[in-house]
Amino acid sequence: MRRLITITLLAYGFMAFSQEETTNTSQDKNWFVKAGLMMSSVTSYHSFGNNKISNEAPISPYLGIGGRFGEKIVFQPELLITHYSLDIGGSHSDYSTSYYSNETVRYNGGVTKVSIPLIIKYKISTPIGIYSGVNTSFLLINKDNGVMNTSSSFNGNSYSETKSFDRGFSWNPAFIFGFEYQLNSKLSFEARYNYSPEFIYDISEDSNIFLSSNIGIRENGSLQFGANYSVF
């Protein structure tokens, strides 16, 4: 699935840049700054059986820059950054006649997300445009703010372990669908949905006690509402 999404992203990027090259000589272009609010759907999960532990919906401001290349059909690359606080976690148990394992995890800290959307927009009329595209995001966390506790028993022997998260960086692909209203030559407003079909961010390695399992965060998608202001 990741390979398919990656190929789609690269293909879309190639087509977008091709569109820019063919229209750049005859159509308008401008650069803009943007700001707004983003609401993300974040789920913590246990990879052994892909069990959901808890769900959060943090709301955060975002800032960004971007460019528009074209008139009727517009290529629009952007760079966005957002930061939100996340307090997420829970526990998961597994057992049989010969073993028992219980794992609890919690991450309480900040999440910084840097995104690079590549968008193709179609102007239905002078003020209204619809668009779709692909987005690559890089997720940064403070791994020292995450802890996993594991207790297990196997054939009468008991084990326990506490460890911090070992990873503080990952990436995810997403598909973009949105709507834009151009108020005047400088200011526009937009609503956007970022759909992440497969974003599994493992924030801890295997417990290495009995079960080979990870705790992770999955971002299912996000909604954006904001404004763009052309600077030149």
Side-chain angles (χ1 to χ4, degrees), residues 86-135:
L86 191 65
D87 186 357
I88 197 168
S91 62
H92 176 77
S93 299
D94 242 323
Y95 60 89
S96 71
T97 57
S98 60
Y99 73 85
Y100 171 80
S101 178
N102 181 70
E103 294 183 339
T104 62
V105 65
R106 186 180 184 189
Y107 178 75
N108 184 8
V111 178
T112 300
K113 187 176 179 181
V114 180
S115 303
I116 307 174
L118 297 175
I119 295 167
I120 296 293
K121 179 169 59 183
Y122 177 74
K123 291 189 176 181
I124 299 175
S125 62
T126 300
I128 299 174
I130 57 175
Y131 58 79
S132 65
V134 291
N135 182 25

Side-chain angles (χ1 to χ4, degrees), residues 30-50:
N30 67 76
W31 300 92
F32 59 89
V33 294
K34 61 189 302 160
L37 290 177
M38 179 183 298
M39 182 175 67
S40 303
S41 173
V42 184
T43 299
S44 65
Y45 77 101
H46 189 286
S47 65
F48 190 84
N50 201 29

Side-chain angles (χ1 to χ4, degrees), residues 86-89 104-111 141-149 161-168 201-205 215 217:
L86 191 65
D87 186 357
I88 197 168
T104 62
V105 65
R106 186 180 184 189
Y107 178 75
N108 184 8
V111 178
I141 69 168
N142 185 348
K143 62 183 181 181
D144 295 331
N145 291 339
V147 175
M148 182 172 72
N149 298 296
E161 182 182 39
T162 298
K163 65 183 297 185
S164 298
F165 296 164
D166 66 294
R167 299 186 182 97
Y201 175 42
D202 292 326
I203 52 179
S204 183
E205 285 186 342
I215 297 293
I217 290 176

Side-chain angles (χ1 to χ4, degrees), residues 116-220:
I116 307 174
L118 297 175
I119 295 167
I120 296 293
K121 179 169 59 183
Y122 177 74
K123 291 189 176 181
I124 299 175
S125 62
T126 300
I128 299 174
I130 57 175
Y131 58 79
S132 65
V134 291
N135 182 25
T136 295
S137 295
F138 302 91
L139 185 69
L140 307 172
I141 69 168
N142 185 348
K143 62 183 181 181
D144 295 331
N145 291 339
V147 175
M148 182 172 72
N149 298 296
T150 305
S151 59
S152 303
S153 63
F154 179 60
N155 290 335
N157 298 314
S158 297
Y159 309 88
S160 64
E161 182 182 39
T162 298
K163 65 183 297 185
S164 298
F165 296 164
D166 66 294
R167 299 186 182 97
F169 171 84
S170 189
W171 72 281
N172 80 287
F175 296 104
I176 301 170
F177 308 93
F179 166 87
E180 183 180 51
Y181 180 81
Q182 191 79 35
L183 184 63
N184 53 46
S185 61
K186 292 287 189 180
L187 183 62
S188 65
F189 299 94
E190 67 174 358
R192 179 184 302 181
Y193 178 62
N194 302 286
Y195 169 62
S196 303
E198 184 181 4
F199 173 25
I200 299 177
Y201 175 42
D202 292 326
I203 52 179
S204 183
E205 285 186 342
D206 298 345
S207 61
N208 295 321
I209 293 179
F210 181 68
L211 291 176
S212 177
S213 56
N214 288 354
I215 297 293
I217 290 176
R218 172 178 295 148
E219 184 175 293
N220 308 300

